[in-house]
Amino acid sequence: MEILGQLLNTTLVFSTALIFAALGGIFSERSGVVNIGLEGLMMFGAFAAAVGGYYAQEAGMGEWAPWVGVLSAMAVGVIGSLIHAVASITFKADQTISGTVINFLAAGSTLYMVKLIFDGSGETPLIDGFSKVSIPGLSKIPVIGEGIFNSYPTTYLAIILVIVIYFVLFKTPFGLRLRAVGEHPSAADTLGVNVNKMRYVGVMLSGMLAGIGGATITLTTTGTFAHNTISGQGFIAIAAMIFGKWNPLGAFGAAVFFGLSQAIRNYVQLFEWSKSIPQEFIFMIPYVLTIIVLVSAVGRSSAPKALGEPYDPSKR
Amino acid sequence: MSRIKKIFATDSYVIPVVAILMGFLVGAIVMLIGGYDPVAAYSALFKRVFGSPYDFGEAVREMTPLMLTGLAVAFAFRSGMFNIGADGQVMIGMTAASVVGIKLGGILPAFLLVPLAVIAAGVCGGLWAGIAGYLKAKRGINEVITTIMLNWIALFLSNYIVRTFLLLQGQNRSEDNPASLSMTFLFSTFDNARLHWGTVIALAAASFFYIYLWKTKQGYEMRAVGLNPHAAEYAGMNVGRNVIKAMFISGVFAGLAGAGEVLGVFHYQSVFAASPGYGFDGIAVALLGLTHPLGVILAAILYGTLTYGSAGMSFGADVPPELIRIVIGSIIFFIAAQGIVRWVLKPFYFKRKKEKVL
């Protein structure tokens, strides 16, 4: 039982970054802008969190330093996403291409700046990240207490955001407009919604959230930023978003699923029966399962209808 | 010849060329902000590539997989799909070439062994990509998600095969592969740079790409499906079959890149710690090359020159080699957002028009 609680806890640690980034992806894609650049936006966030957190720590901010890291990640994530927004919305560039550009610029510029700021070092100095916070009372519940209510503050934030964003998207006028712009931009335009403005908002929110996602990795897992800090997490977040059918709750489920599979790696060696299975097959499980689940249950994808199409009022 | 002239006579080359110049300019500005000397850095970059026969040969070696993965991504793009999975297809191609080369090495003579290993790499890469094509065609499952998943599965599957069946005692890599694509007759000219037949295969693949898509009926169908699947279906084309076929061919290109790396460059296969990233470079090359085979070759030359030369930049001018990614990213950005380039060019166009009036 104890191990189950620990497994759940580790699962959430690995899921948190994916949840943030997938939520970001949902904002962008629900507004009709493909965001292949989540990987790069996470990289920007992870970098900014490491640098911002480092300087805040140097300035003696103690426990608040990681939060400065999160704020820097949000800001840098938004700036990064603006490149994507300008290219794909204003200049009507192919959205897949401009998302790829974000990945490229992020990989290049973050390491360039790390080397510039820290005298040629390929890695930022190690900082103290967040520590786990147990919620009084709730953390005493068996399994769930250890698993959920003794987590990093970012994990709590992620779970709260899933619910908040679900309501924002599906129960508020803003959410309705955002989705309308992604489904049928010309109709939304006729009703007086500023299509391009909504899309800018969607993309910038995606940059902000993916930035926090990246920050989560440096501030809870690695403690530093280097070239391999993100390595594919952004693409997994995209998968989680599609897997979750562009719905915050679905994406949350998918992110936890991927987090679980990463966590299983840490625990699988503990059991006698699992030692005989080659480790590669255990590593493969989540990816194979994803495909199987997609084939058997989920079926046709339900992407926003106008996803990937720049809005051109003259073609209405 | 007249066709080549036509390509360069049209306006279409102006925007990429200006985009490249603007990308270099952005790189220079970033260097100036960082307190580096852009002139020294860029000259060190080109000196590194063209300075010695060895480096030139190695730069060509660097360009080869880029051409093939670029073609792979571009081919899928032309058929309306985004193949993020070239990386996995390269790994599967490598593994197939390793298995065939090492396991049949003592049995078959070289003139059979080498082609067989290359074909196995291409076919296995194609089949690997074909899985994503099949799932898209038959189940409507987004190829972006399946190719991402298949990348990871390919990584672990390759590692498993190398570790279990091909491992060199006590090492983290396979035994030496007796099949070789090396162009040994060129080694003395290029100071032992690792040139290999993969480069020729890549050029052949590009020609195939062009002829197939623009000169055959099947290719016409494929482009039609890429441009508008609904219209193609209405016209009586089998969209699903084209999707599977396009992904298969795309995967063959990537698989061949893997064969070139294993049989021509390393002559063994390592257990990968992480995804090697060939596929992601391929995306950039395909986009730089405007998804046209000739463009992809030119883009691979540019990309290869810049990445190989970036090491020289860091030795010669102390500039972090990552800068080159900013340059490449900016170039793709300006090519994608052509509006910006047109805006920059506007005054020049305006002037030209005025002259005509006069």
Side-chain angles (χ1 to χ4, degrees):
Chain A
M1 280 311 258
E2 202 176 294
I3 211 166
L4 218 61
Q6 285 170 14
L7 182 67
L8 181 59
N9 197 279
T10 320
T11 298
L12 285 178
V13 170
F14 286 128
S15 314
T16 305
L18 296 175
I19 296 171
F20 281 118
L23 288 173
I26 288 173
F27 268 118
S28 166
E29 302 218 338
R30 280 282 181 176
S31 78
V33 182
V34 175
N35 204 338
I36 270 309
L38 287 183
E39 174 90 1
L41 294 170
M42 284 182 86
M43 232 177 253
F44 276 129
F47 158 78
V51 175
Y54 169 76
Y55 281 112
Q57 199 172 308
E58 290 289 285
M61 294 181 72
E63 272 179 46
W64 292 102
W67 289 108
V68 175
V70 170
L71 286 176
S72 337
M74 287 163 69
V76 175
V78 169
I79 295 169
S81 69
L82 270 175
I83 302 171
H84 184 37
V86 169
S88 63
I89 302 168
T90 305
F91 287 98
K92 299 189 175 24
D94 185 302
Q95 296 169 2
T96 316
I97 301 180
S98 80
T100 307
V101 168
I102 297 293
N103 292 338
F104 255 79
L105 289 180
S109 59
T110 52
L111 277 175
Y112 179 78
M113 284 189 278
V114 166
K115 287 187 175 171
L116 209 62
I117 299 171
F118 300 105
D119 289 327
S121 162
E123 200 174 324
T124 61
L126 200 65
I127 53 167
D128 300 325
F130 285 111
S131 17
K132 289 188 177 171
V133 179
S134 10
I135 294 180
L138 293 174
S139 58
K140 295 285 183 290
I141 307 171
V143 184
I144 297 176
E146 157 99 39
I148 300 174
F149 297 109
N150 184 26
S151 296
Y152 294 110
T154 41
T155 304
Y156 299 129
L157 181 65
I159 295 172
I160 294 167
L161 274 181
V162 169
I163 299 161
V164 170
I165 289 174
Y166 179 82
F167 274 96
V168 167
L169 269 183
F170 296 107
K171 309 284 175 197
T172 66
F174 167 78
L176 181 68
R177 285 187 199 121
L178 190 89
R179 285 183 295 127
V181 156
E183 291 286 337
H184 208 311
S186 52
D189 193 0
T190 315
L191 294 172
V193 180
N194 186 331
V195 174
N196 285 354
K197 200 174 110 195
M198 284 311 283
R199 288 187 167 179
Y200 261 91
V201 172
V203 173
M204 284 159 75
L205 282 172
S206 84
M208 193 181 87
L209 287 163
I212 304 177
T216 311
I217 293 179
T218 41
L219 296 172
T220 66
T221 316
T222 62
T224 96
F225 175 79
H227 73 98
N228 59 353
T229 302
I230 301 300
S231 72
Q233 297 284 306
F235 289 102
I236 299 285
I238 292 172
M241 171 190 70
I242 300 176
F243 200 10
K245 296 197 157 193
W246 290 268
N247 180 316
L249 302 179
F252 171 76
V256 170
F257 176 66
F258 284 117
L260 173 68
S261 63
Q262 274 175 286
I264 284 177
R265 283 188 197 192
N266 296 0
Y267 288 89
V268 84
Q269 304 293 338
L270 296 176
F271 303 105
E272 215 38 61
W273 55 268
S274 57
K275 279 181 185 153
S276 55
I277 307 171
Q279 51 173 4
E280 283 89 355
F281 286 106
I282 289 157
F283 294 168
M284 255 183 232
I285 292 171
Y287 311 109
V288 175
L289 268 183
T290 303
I291 292 181
I292 292 173
V293 171
L294 282 173
V295 169
S296 55
V298 185
R300 303 240 157 221
S301 67
S302 45
K305 288 214 175 51
L307 188 61
E309 291 168 18
Y311 178 58
D312 184 352
S314 65
K315 280 188 186 157
R316 208 156 69 189
Chain B
M1 194 60 208
S2 68
R3 180 165 294 132
I4 294 172
K5 257 186 199 158
K6 213 165 82 189
I7 290 171
F8 288 100
T10 50
D11 233 20
S12 65
Y13 77 96
V14 176
I15 284 170
V17 167
V18 175
I20 290 168
L21 293 176
M22 284 167 71
F24 276 105
L25 192 67
V26 169
I29 292 167
V30 172
M31 280 191 262
L32 284 175
I33 293 170
Y36 301 111
D37 177 359
V39 178
Y42 283 138
S43 52
L45 187 157
F46 288 105
K47 214 169 125 193
R48 157 93 174 180
V49 178
F50 301 103
S52 77
Y54 171 79
D55 283 320
F56 183 73
E58 281 290 299
V60 171
R61 194 244 334 132
E62 180 112 14
M63 291 163 196
T64 304
L66 294 169
M67 281 182 201
L68 283 163
T69 52
L71 290 171
V73 177
F75 195 88
F77 234 103
R78 285 276 173 189
S79 329
M81 272 168 298
F82 190 36
N83 180 7
I84 307 193
D87 217 41
Q89 293 140 28
V90 170
M91 279 185 270
I92 291 295
M94 284 179 160
T95 310
S98 293
V99 170
V100 171
I102 294 169
K103 288 294 172 194
L104 301 178
I107 304 164
L108 294 175
F111 73 92
L112 283 177
L113 180 68
V114 177
L116 197 66
V118 172
I119 291 167
V123 169
C124 290
L127 291 175
W128 197 253
I131 299 174
Y134 177 82
L135 292 174
K136 166 117 179 171
K138 301 290 176 192
R139 295 282 179 161
I141 299 169
N142 192 314
E143 77 279 10
V144 171
I145 183 168
T146 41
T147 49
I148 293 171
M149 296 299 123
L150 285 169
N151 277 345
W152 292 94
I153 299 171
L155 170 70
F156 299 127
L157 184 65
S158 298
N159 280 354
Y160 172 73
I161 292 172
V162 171
R163 230 168 40 88
T164 319
F165 302 109
L166 308 172
L167 206 63
L168 184 69
Q169 278 292 314
Q171 301 270 342
N172 222 9
R173 68 171 181 91
S174 75
E175 296 169 33
D176 287 324
N177 196 327
S180 171
L181 277 175
S182 291
M183 289 173 150
T184 30
F185 60 96
L186 286 176
F187 278 12
S188 55
T189 325
F190 287 94
D191 240 350
N192 287 325
R194 294 165 290 176
L195 290 160
H196 59 85
W197 286 102
T199 315
V200 178
I201 294 175
L203 296 173
S207 321
F208 169 81
F209 187 135
Y210 179 77
I211 293 167
Y212 185 80
L213 272 192
W214 280 279
K215 302 290 165 196
T216 71
K217 183 172 156 275
Q218 290 184 26
Y220 174 80
E221 273 197 21
M222 212 164 264
R223 281 186 297 130
V225 168
L227 288 171
N228 189 341
H230 303 295
E233 184 144 34
Y234 188 69
M237 296 171 190
N238 186 334
V239 173
R241 201 178 56 205
N242 273 295
V243 162
I244 298 173
K245 204 158 56 178
M247 278 308 269
F248 176 79
I249 295 173
S250 166
V252 169
F253 291 150
L256 291 173
E261 292 296 279
V262 160
L263 305 177
V265 181
F266 298 110
H267 301 290
Y268 62 81
Q269 185 174 344
S270 307
V271 173
F272 299 110
S275 137
Y278 290 104
F280 298 99
D281 294 338
I283 295 174
V285 170
L287 300 177
L288 278 176
L290 304 170
T291 67
H292 189 282
L294 181 63
V296 167
I297 290 176
L298 296 175
I301 292 171
L302 175 71
Y303 193 113
T305 304
L306 292 179
T307 41
Y308 189 76
S310 64
M313 205 174 66
S314 90
F315 286 128
D318 211 25
V319 178
E322 286 77 21
L323 176 98
I324 225 60
R325 288 195 159 242
I326 302 179
V327 174
I328 293 169
S330 311
I331 297 174
I332 306 175
F333 177 81
F334 290 125
I335 289 180
Q338 298 194 350
I340 298 175
V341 178
R342 292 224 171 80
W343 180 73
V344 169
L345 286 177
K346 216 172 169 184
F348 300 99
Y349 274 118
F350 188 61
K351 222 184 252 167
R352 210 196 277 169
K353 256 186 198 158
K354 228 177 177 178
E355 279 165 9
K356 263 182 201 161
V357 174
L358 288 172

